[in-house]
């Protein structure tokens, strides 16, 4: 039987509330997003359903164990190929009606109308939704941060590209501040209308970014996902980092600053 993603228990809001009250400063990443599943899996090692066991829970999820292009990864600045010719990440977002929902494993904002797009190597990827992971899934030189936002995009040919913004404690984030009241009042797994939400209010924080080919960070761990990581630099639902297996990680920086990270 094929499964559609879900999780066993709702996310704990007290953790989110503490994070928001302490405030968060974005460090950005571009990444990919999740899909939903009726077959339970968890992020808890030792539960029998944690990340190390995902590949055994369902035959369709075997890539979670055998895949060679898995995500997330640790981004090591000492092992990068600097590529100024990658060019700036092009985004064209606009306000659209949106809903917020507690999916059990995360909090998701889903746009109902056209909320804009990003362009990577000449391909447009339309924005669908965003959601959060705590702690961050990607790490930087083995450092993990408090929270990671994933902006999920899809192309006309069903290709996936994600922008992930990693947060640490710091100044208030305008996008999170606006959503905080709605998030803390959600009951169960209901959806709540947010009105018009502008994804352009999300701060990327830097023009520099990492790029590599990876996978979904949840089962079935499908590979071929374009990750663009922008480095500005609650019940846990973050997958451990995965081996690079020889994959190149490219780094874009404007030419005038190409020698610094």
């Amino acid at each position: 039987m094929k499964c559609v993603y879900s999780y066993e228990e709702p996310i704990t809001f007290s953790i989110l509330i503490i994070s928001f009250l302490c405030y968060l400063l974005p460090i950005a990443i571009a990444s990919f997003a999740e899909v939903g599943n009726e077959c339970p899996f968890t992020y808890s090692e030792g539960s029998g359903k944690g990340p190390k066991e995902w590949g055994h829970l369902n035959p369709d999820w075997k890539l979670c164990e055998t895949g060679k292009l898995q995500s997330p990864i640790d981004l090591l600045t000492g092992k990068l190929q600097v590529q100024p010719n990658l060019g700036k990440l092009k985004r064209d977002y606009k306000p659209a009606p949106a809903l917020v929902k507690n999916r059990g494993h995360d909090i998701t904002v889903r746009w109902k109308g056209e909320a804009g797009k990003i362009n990577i190597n000449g391909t447009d990827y339309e924005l669908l939704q965003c959601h959060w992971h705590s702690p961050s899934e990607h790490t930087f030189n083995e450092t993990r941060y408090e929270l990671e936002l994933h902006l999920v995009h899809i192309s006309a040919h069903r290709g996936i590209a994600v922008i992930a913004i990693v947060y640490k404690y710091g100044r208030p984030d305008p996008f999170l501040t606006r959503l905080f009241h709605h998030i803390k009042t959600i009951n169960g797994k209901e959806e709540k209308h947010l009105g018009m939400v502008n994804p352009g209010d999300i701060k990327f924080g830097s023009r520099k970014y990492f790029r590599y080919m990876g996978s979904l960070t949840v089962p079935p761990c499908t590979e071929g996902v374009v990750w663009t990581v922008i480095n500005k630099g609650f019940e846990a639902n973050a997958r451990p980092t995965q081996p690079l297996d020889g994959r190149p990680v490219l780094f874009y920086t404007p030419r005038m600053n190409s020698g610094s990270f």
Side-chain angles (χ1 to χ4, degrees):
M1 179 184 70
K2 291 189 176 180
C3 300
V4 191
Y5 308 116
S6 85
Y7 292 73
E8 295 177 308
E9 298 179 355
I11 193 167
T12 304
F13 282 98
S14 60
I15 297 174
L16 288 174
I17 291 171
I18 291 171
S19 297
F20 278 100
L21 290 178
C22 291
Y23 297 124
L24 296 160
L25 175 68
I27 300 170
I29 300 188
S31 100
F32 169 128
E34 316 178 335
V35 272
N37 194 334
E38 292 171 357
C39 292
F41 62 90
T42 74
Y43 290 92
S44 300
E45 298 294 1
S47 66
K49 299 177 182 179
K52 291 182 180 179
E53 304 298 326
W54 289 353
H56 302 288
L57 296 178
N58 186 303
D60 294 335
W61 299 356
K62 61 183 180 181
L63 274 178
C64 298
E65 181 180 17
T66 63
K68 300 299 183 182
L69 301 175
Q70 290 293 291
S71 297
I73 63 172
D74 182 40
L75 295 159
L76 298 169
T77 55
K79 295 184 178 181
L80 302 176
Q81 300 177 22
V82 178
Q83 295 283 348
N85 294 329
L86 284 174
K88 294 190 296 184
L89 182 63
K90 300 175 182 177
R91 55 175 173 157
D92 182 18
Y93 292 145
K94 56 187 177 182
L99 300 168
V100 63
K101 182 177 182 178
N102 175 12
R103 297 196 298 180
H105 63 287
D106 65 21
I107 303 298
T108 297
V109 173
R110 177 172 60 87
W111 280 273
K112 296 178 64 178
E114 294 184 4
K117 61 191 177 183
I118 60 173
N119 184 282
I120 298 176
N121 295 332
T123 299
D124 288 338
Y125 294 83
E126 300 292 331
L127 177 63
L128 298 180
Q129 53 104 323
C130 69
H131 60 270
W132 288 264
H133 288 268
S134 177
S136 69
E137 294 203 303
H138 286 85
T139 58
F140 298 85
N141 295 318
E142 300 184 351
T143 297
R144 193 179 297 278
Y145 292 92
E146 283 74 21
L147 195 68
E148 182 170 329
L149 168 64
H150 287 178
L151 288 149
V152 183
H153 307 74
I154 192 165
S155 73
H157 298 290
R158 312 304 291 174
I160 297 169
V162 180
I163 295 173
I165 302 174
V166 177
Y167 294 82
K168 65 179 179 180
Y169 292 114
R171 298 188 304 273
D173 178 82
F175 187 73
L176 294 178
T177 300
R178 178 189 171 186
L179 295 178
F180 178 54
H181 171 72
H182 299 286
I183 290 173
K184 71 178 182 179
T185 59
I186 295 175
N187 295 316
K189 296 184 180 181
E190 68 175 350
E191 285 189 326
K192 187 170 185 177
H193 290 273
L194 296 175
M196 299 294 286
V197 175
N198 185 4
D201 291 338
I202 299 172
K203 306 301 182 185
F204 281 20
S206 176
R207 291 186 297 167
K208 300 178 181 180
Y209 61 79
F210 302 84
R211 178 163 293 160
Y212 76 99
M213 293 300 295
S215 75
L216 299 181
T217 63
V218 297
C221 305
T222 306
E223 297 183 335
V225 176
V226 179
W227 288 80
T228 306
V229 182
I230 307 167
N231 180 18
K232 184 181 177 181
F234 278 85
E235 184 168 324
N237 64 338
R239 187 188 187 191
T241 55
Q242 304 298 302
L244 271 177
D245 286 314
R247 281 177 284 174
V249 178
L250 308 181
F251 181 73
Y252 168 77
T253 182
R255 290 182 183 277
M256 66 180 66
N257 296 319
S258 60
S260 63
F261 294 98

